[in-house]
Amino acid sequence: MASTRSISFGATLNLTASGGALSAALLLIGTGSAHAQQTTTVPDPAGSSSTSANPNESGSAPDRRAANAAVTGDVTAAQNEATAQAAGAAVQDAGGTQEDAEIVVTGFRRSLENAVAEKKSRDQVIESVSAEDIGKLPDASIAESIARLPGVTSQRIAGRSNSISIRGFAPDFSTTLLNGREQTSTGDNRAVEYDQYPAEVVNQVLIYKTANAGLVGQGLSGTVDLRTIRPLEFGRQVVSIGARGTYADIGKLNAGSKDLGYRATATYVDQFANDTLGIALSASYLDEPYQIQEFNAWGYATGTRVGDTAQTSVIGGSKSYVTSTTLKRLGLSGTVQWKPIPELVTTLDGFFSDFKDNQIKRGIELPLAFGGGSGTIFNPTQTNSTVSNGLITSGTFENVQGVVRNDAFERKAKLYSFGYNAKYTGDDGWNAQVDVSYSRTNRRELSFESYSGTGYGQALGATDTIGFTSGNSGTFFDPTLDYSDPNLILLTDPLGWGGANAQAAYLNDRQVTDSIRQYRTEIEKEIDSPISAMRFGMNYTRHTKSLVPTEFILRLANGALQQRIPEQYIKASTDQSYLGLGPMLSYDPRELLAGGVYSSTPNFSQDIATKAFRVREDLMTAYVQSDLRVPVGTAELTGNFGVQVVHTEQKSSGLVSNGVGFNNVTRGDDYFDVLPSANLSLRFANDIVIRAAAARQMQRPRMDDMRVALGYGFDANQQILNGSGGNPYLRPIRSNSYDVTIEKYFGNRGYLAVQGFYKDLKSFVYNQETAFNYSGYTLPTTAPANTPPIGLATIPINGEGGSIYGAELAGTLPLGEIVGFLDGFGVTGGGSYTKTEITPTPGGASEDIPGYSRWVANGTAYFEKWGLNMRGSVRYRSTFVGELSGFAANRVRRRALDELIVDAQIGYDFSGGMFNGLSVYVQGQNLTDEPFVTLNGGVRNQVIDYQKYGRRYLAGFSYKF
């Protein structure tokens, strides 16, 4: 009987063969390269490879793809394929099967190897993250996975990562695609909110940091492409299910809230009819709580205490909440692929998300130096106050009339996305594809404010004497009133905010509709020359978005100025001891409205009408691109160059004040953009790649900035017309962008890279009071008949930009490849430094734009072996200007402090026996309970926001059949 030998090859390649066949297999493998053990073929875990029907990819016939991959050097896609096939053939000759020769890399290492292979093979500068397995991204959310990539970070909203900043730009400077197609947003503008997309239905994320002519819908800072499973490329049947539980250790902060939640997922992939028909179905349902303890200051007043000469500051007021959020989301994804003939693949994609965010916010709003008791802090009787670094850090406010707030916030959004692609790959070098897609979002956002206090207006009701201590985590209070006493706290308008309306509550109902239709066709010809391919394409996109705000003043239905809260609506008290305020009276204002306690009256004030907009963009894009492949000595130069020509026709409709009422008007503009681009990669035999890229890029302005709505009137002081609003003639932000990178690869398992970029912004959008021609607008009745039409308006306009530039260091290192006894250990991560010289204010100094952090760093250390997997991750971003939602959902910008987020995970993958295919894991998020902190003008001890989210613990499993 022939002797049988089992060897371990590389990481997890096991060959079992006999005698001479084994020697042949080893000989074939050994001739591949000196690094044969690293030449793994690394397909995407769900088959989302360069052959997908993604209309933004540059794929073509298999032979040219193999040639394009065959960059000189020891690790190439072509050599990998040839080596794997040769090894498989040798093993089959020995009586084994092809599967016996398959190199199997699983888990987080597989995800990293996929990312390395993607980065190495592309001619653009990209970053990527792939699923570790079916329905299993490395993090609990897409935004968190993306935020771990070099040069990328996120902003936490309500305790979860939701929006992405790339290379120091706000989310509005990037775009998001789904399988290469532009997507609508659940936000007010273009930036996609990533919690709309379940991580389990996304198989891979690509971030394109440079442009190419064939990439339609690209952003200025980067383009994020979310990709789902391609079943024919996946090539095998699988059924996967998973679930996890979530625990928020900060506790149940409001009556009826939860600290426990769950998520359940399922995926099915299969192929039929001799692998000519494929189907992939994924579903995910989430029901998870988020709890937040918030401190918020109105701002800081400045004055001079009696006997002092220097001015000091003191907290002007406080609006602090305990917030409980329940996030529910159903996500469904499906793909059907049909290959009727070998040259033609058709793909039909569908995605649906039903998203519900339900918040209750309870707190006590205290008017201090800006309101009741405003003068006492500086008067001679205030003898117990202390000052530190210009801030009155302790003292007592008198005659304070607080407002007990019980507010509710509801957001419901449904997102639909469909796409059809037909791709023909001819044997004669002619290729073509057609792509049609539709994306739509319907969102309704309800913001309900409810007020109660000790009496109506500042003249009635008991007042409070409140001691306070201010520091780097906000202000701690020592009140004398019991804000949980139902006999003391009444439904009313405590501070007279509604004037004669006796406003006891306020309701803001905002409805957003967003739709994108996209049609694309492309023809490609492969050429046997240094220009390896030429492609020409055209794309038509219609993007329409509208916002309709409806606002209501709520009064007590019985006509009273104040009344007790009916006992049946009172909830268990909410504890605000973390602020020193103790318990407070709690109720749900939605129940009061449904029970008839409130009556509502629409608010028709001018500022509400000017928030509304309806913007339509019709974009026609034509592009031509050439792919390049030419030997340069022992190296090889690959890349692409081309140009996009984009014609834009934009129209904005809305209400414009005519001085006495409103006119419904439509205004707009049309223009061309010519966007050349080039990406070059010089690939050396020692696995060093030097890249250079240059492009003209653009980013369309925010849609609310493009609204036609304009409110105006007659300024009696200046004797001119003056107003404010949007600008329907606004043009894109444009940049000349340059990138240079040097990358060293270690097979497909690791790399080190230094990346530099420079963006010269030729234009920018900023708000400015500027001359405005009111010709065609109705003259207000208060204006004299001879008032000139040229007046002033504060509107967003195009002006000079500036520059933003930086450097990024990134890498993935499997340490066992360097030091043998560290087998299974590895590190991945990166850091970036970015400098901005953008001047949002014309003629002013350069200043930080929203989302900009000078330093961004992230790192993950991991161990994977014997089925055990452990990893710890950190994310750091230096101080930045964050965007928050203010009153009536208006944007508010504040300086946020630097953050360091620490997460960890431990799990085990079963690989045999009755539990084969089962993976279990435990995760911990925000393990150091890092707060989100914003400041008043950057002054460290003048805290505006101090939000604590607590730690989150997750435990779950996935099981793959």
Side-chain angles (χ1 to χ4, degrees):
M1 180 175 180
S3 62
T4 300
R5 306 170 190 171
S6 177
I7 65 169
S8 177
F9 179 73
T12 53
L13 171 62
N14 291 321
L15 297 181
T16 303
S18 60
L22 173 62
S23 301
L26 292 176
L27 177 62
L28 285 168
I29 294 171
T31 59
S33 75
H35 293 81
Q37 67 176 20
Q38 295 179 346
T39 60
T40 58
T41 299
V42 188
D44 185 275
S48 196
S49 69
S50 62
T51 61
S52 89
N54 179 350
N56 273 333
E57 289 186 6
S58 303
S60 59
D63 55 344
R64 189 175 69 81
R65 276 196 300 271
N68 286 347
V71 295
T72 55
D74 57 328
V75 180
T76 71
Q79 289 173 339
N80 290 342
E81 184 69 23
T83 300
Q85 290 176 355
V91 173
Q92 284 180 308
D93 289 341
T97 65
Q98 181 76 31
E99 286 74 15
D100 291 330
E102 183 179 348
I103 297 177
V104 181
V105 180
T106 61
F108 188 56
R109 284 195 299 167
R110 180 177 186 175
S111 174
L112 294 178
E113 289 191 13
N114 289 342
V116 173
E118 285 281 5
K119 188 175 184 69
K120 181 180 181 181
S121 64
R122 300 277 178 158
D123 285 317
Q124 290 173 264
V125 178
I126 74 157
E127 310 294 346
S128 71
V129 59
S130 297
E132 299 178 32
D133 207 335
I134 288 291
K136 187 181 177 184
L137 276 182
D139 292 280
S141 78
I142 293 173
E144 288 169 352
S145 289
I146 296 174
R148 299 198 195 283
L149 297 175
V152 184
T153 189
S154 67
Q155 179 177 332
R156 292 183 295 170
I157 298 174
R160 60 186 187 270
S161 295
N162 189 20
S163 57
I164 297 298
S165 295
I166 302 175
R167 288 182 160 177
F169 286 90
D172 291 316
F173 288 85
S174 61
T175 57
T176 298
L177 315 175
L178 180 63
N179 292 319
R181 305 171 180 117
E182 295 180 66
Q183 296 299 294
T184 54
S185 169
T186 56
D188 287 355
N189 288 282
R190 304 178 191 275
V192 163
E193 297 174 318
Y194 288 97
D195 53 13
Q196 192 74 26
Y197 296 92
E200 293 83 357
V201 305
V202 173
N203 176 65
Q204 184 185 43
V205 182
L206 295 175
I207 296 184
Y208 300 94
K209 290 183 174 178
T210 60
N212 73 21
L215 183 61
V216 175
Q218 55 196 322
L220 189 148
S221 64
T223 306
V224 181
D225 190 6
L226 311 177
R227 301 169 67 179
T228 57
I229 297 170
R230 313 284 88 179
L232 289 184
E233 295 164 21
F234 186 71
R236 60 188 185 275
Q237 182 194 67
V238 66
V239 177
S240 176
I241 60 174
R244 80 176 191 211
T246 305
Y247 170 64
D249 79 338
I250 200 171
K252 306 174 185 179
L253 300 185
N254 278 295
S257 67
K258 303 183 298 181
D259 58 2
L260 296 174
Y262 69 94
R263 177 185 296 207
T265 64
T267 300
Y268 169 66
V269 185
D270 208 346
Q271 301 79 35
F272 309 92
N274 294 322
D275 291 338
T276 61
L277 180 65
I279 185 171
L281 302 173
S282 297
S284 173
Y285 183 76
L286 175 147
D287 184 344
E288 288 187 337
Y290 289 84
Q291 305 280 353
I292 312 168
Q293 289 180 336
E294 304 177 52
F295 165 80
N296 173 263
W298 286 4
Y300 289 81
T302 301
T304 304
R305 298 190 305 170
V306 173
D308 289 345
T309 57
Q311 285 193 330
T312 53
S313 298
V314 68
I315 183 171
S318 169
K319 185 174 70 173
S320 303
Y321 288 109
V322 169
T323 300
S324 298
T325 296
T326 300
L327 186 66
K328 296 182 179 182
R329 182 191 60 215
L330 171 65
L332 302 174
S333 175
T335 299
V336 177
Q337 284 190 300
W338 182 41
K339 194 174 185 179
I341 58 176
E343 297 82 10
L344 179 65
V345 177
T346 64
T347 305
L348 179 65
D349 286 304
F351 174 74
F352 170 75
S353 175
D354 187 357
F355 176 90
K356 297 177 182 178
D357 184 357
N358 188 353
Q359 290 186 6
I360 191 74
K361 301 173 71 71
R362 296 188 172 108
I364 304 171
E365 190 163 8
L366 300 172
L368 302 172
F370 288 152
S374 59
T376 60
I377 198 67
F378 296 116
N379 72 23
T381 64
Q382 188 62 258
T383 58
N384 63 340
S385 62
T386 59
V387 177
S388 177
N389 296 323
L391 177 72
I392 299 179
T393 56
S394 67
T396 303
F397 286 104
E398 301 170 354
N399 303 317
V400 176
Q401 190 161 3
V403 181
V404 174
R405 299 285 297 267
N406 284 263
D407 298 350
F409 176 88
E410 294 179 2
R411 170 184 271 192
K412 299 179 180 179
K414 293 184 178 181
L415 188 153
Y416 310 83
S417 181
F418 304 97
Y420 172 79
N421 180 277
K423 187 170 186 179
Y424 173 82
T425 305
D427 293 333
D428 57 357
W430 284 98
N431 308 313
Q433 65 171 315
V434 174
D435 195 88
V436 179
S437 64
Y438 177 72
S439 177
R440 180 181 179 89
T441 297
N442 297 325
R443 181 188 113 214
R444 185 176 185 185
E445 187 175 277
L446 193 72
S447 180
F448 196 154
E449 298 183 353
S450 174
Y451 321 123
S452 51
T454 59
Y456 175 72
Q458 292 178 298
L460 301 176
T463 61
D464 201 356
T465 298
I466 298 180
F468 71 95
T469 303
S470 295
N472 288 345
S473 58
T475 300
F476 191 84
F477 299 100
D478 183 14
T480 57
L481 295 181
D482 179 3
Y483 289 95
S484 65
D485 185 353
N487 297 310
L488 176 68
I489 304 302
L490 311 173
L491 295 174
T492 186
D493 184 357
L495 297 181
W497 287 336
N501 291 318
Q503 176 180 308
Y506 196 82
L507 182 62
N508 184 2
D509 186 358
R510 308 170 79 244
Q511 298 189 51
V512 174
T513 302
D514 193 0
S515 69
I516 295 178
R517 291 177 171 87
Q518 194 168 11
Y519 310 89
R520 180 172 180 176
T521 183
E522 180 181 284
I523 298 174
E524 179 188 40
K525 181 65 173 77
E526 300 170 19
I527 306 170
D528 188 12
S529 73
I531 303 297
S532 59
M534 291 282 297
R535 65 175 53 87
F536 170 78
M538 298 194 69
N539 182 87
Y540 171 74
T541 301
R542 170 168 286 185
H543 189 181
T544 304
K545 189 155 193 168
S546 64
L547 167 64
V548 179
T550 308
E551 302 185 17
F552 300 88
I553 297 171
L554 275 62
R555 304 179 180 88
L556 296 174
N558 58 14
L561 297 179
Q562 60 187 43
Q563 75 169 66
R564 284 192 58 177
I565 302 167
E567 185 175 348
Q568 66 268 31
Y569 298 115
I570 297 178
K571 310 287 185 184
S573 298
T574 294
D575 187 9
Q576 288 202 314
S577 296
Y578 72 100
L579 296 172
L581 295 172
M584 60 164 281
L585 194 65
S586 300
Y587 56 89
D588 190 328
R590 294 165 293 191
E591 295 179 0
L592 297 184
L593 180 61
V597 177
Y598 292 131
S599 64
S600 62
T601 302
N603 186 352
F604 295 112
S605 65
Q606 186 184 103
D607 68 312
I608 297 171
T610 57
K611 296 175 186 175
F613 65 83
R614 185 179 188 276
V615 174
R616 194 185 90 182
E617 296 173 331
D618 291 282
L619 313 172
M620 179 61 74
T621 303
Y623 62 90
V624 60
Q625 179 176 306
S626 300
D627 291 346
L628 177 69
R629 177 170 297 279
V630 58
V632 180
T634 60
E636 190 170 38
L637 181 66
T638 67
N640 56 71
F641 57 91
V643 63
Q644 275 189 11
V645 179
V646 185
H647 176 256
T648 301
E649 181 180 351
Q650 63 190 39
K651 295 181 180 179
S652 180
S653 303
L655 297 176
V656 174
S657 169
N658 60 21
V660 293
F662 296 96
N663 295 328
N664 197 339
V665 301
T666 299
R667 294 188 173 90
D669 201 358
D670 67 279
Y671 50 88
F672 282 91
D673 277 284
V674 179
L675 307 173
S677 62
N679 295 271
L680 299 175
S681 298
L682 186 59
R683 303 172 182 273
F684 294 90
N686 59 359
D687 257 4
I688 290 179
V689 181
I690 299 176
R691 306 183 194 273
R696 176 80 161 184
Q697 295 178 286
M698 71 170 181
Q699 182 68 46
R700 302 188 184 281
R702 292 176 58 102
M703 283 188 151
D704 56 357
D705 283 344
M706 296 169 64
R707 69 191 189 278
V708 72
L710 183 75
Y712 69 99
F714 180 69
D715 187 333
N717 293 326
Q718 301 185 68
Q719 293 293 299
I720 59 172
L721 298 176
N722 204 337
S724 64
N727 182 357
Y729 307 105
L730 210 55
R731 299 291 182 91
I733 298 171
R734 300 182 174 102
S735 169
N736 292 337
S737 303
Y738 309 93
D739 284 77
V740 175
T741 75
I742 302 175
E743 302 161 1
K744 168 60 181 175
Y745 289 89
F746 309 100
N748 276 349
R749 297 188 177 186
Y751 79 100
L752 289 173
V754 178
Q755 304 175 167
F757 70 93
Y758 181 88
K759 294 184 182 293
D760 181 13
L761 272 66
K762 296 302 182 182
S763 67
F764 202 75
V765 174
Y766 48 82
N767 290 312
Q768 180 178 324
E769 186 178 67
T770 185
F772 190 85
N773 189 348
Y774 287 91
S775 298
Y777 292 78
T778 303
L779 200 64
T781 56
T782 56
N786 60 349
T787 300
I790 304 300
L792 295 174
T794 301
I795 59 175
I797 65 171
N798 292 107
E800 294 185 2
S803 61
I804 185 166
Y805 52 90
E808 300 164 350
L809 176 65
T812 294
L813 293 175
L815 298 180
E817 300 292 320
I818 303 172
V819 182
F821 72 85
L822 292 179
D823 183 40
F825 288 93
V827 293
T828 183
S832 65
Y833 172 83
T834 307
K835 177 69 174 177
T836 178
E837 294 179 358
I838 297 174
T839 55
T841 304
S846 62
E847 54 185 272
D848 293 355
I849 57 176
Y852 166 76
S853 287
R854 179 167 295 186
W855 292 98
V856 171
N858 61 77
T860 298
Y862 65 89
F863 173 80
E864 282 195 347
K865 198 173 183 180
W866 309 303
L868 180 66
N869 55 82
M870 299 183 292
R871 62 179 179 263
S873 301
V874 295
R875 286 182 288 143
Y876 172 79
R877 70 178 304 183
S878 61
T879 177
F880 63 100
V881 176
E883 284 196 339
L884 296 88
S885 179
F887 175 73
N890 293 328
R891 284 182 294 155
V892 178
R893 294 177 177 176
R894 299 186 186 128
R895 168 64 62 180
L897 286 185
D898 55 328
E899 296 180 332
L900 180 67
I901 313 297
V902 179
D903 305 320
Q905 173 176 313
I906 183 171
Y908 186 79
D909 301 326
F910 293 86
S911 58
M914 62 180 297
F915 296 113
N916 183 40
L918 175 65
S919 298
V920 294
Y921 60 90
V922 177
Q923 293 179 345
Q925 299 175 346
N926 192 28
L927 292 176
T928 58
D929 195 10
E930 183 79 350
F932 174 74
V933 185
T934 70
L935 306 177
N936 181 43
V939 180
R940 180 60 187 92
N941 61 358
Q942 294 187 21
V943 176
I944 296 292
D945 296 285
Y946 193 93
Q947 299 180 3
K948 294 196 68 174
Y949 309 123
R951 302 168 183 85
R952 296 176 66 80
Y953 299 100
L954 305 88
F957 76 93
S958 65
Y959 188 72
K960 183 175 66 174
F961 301 86

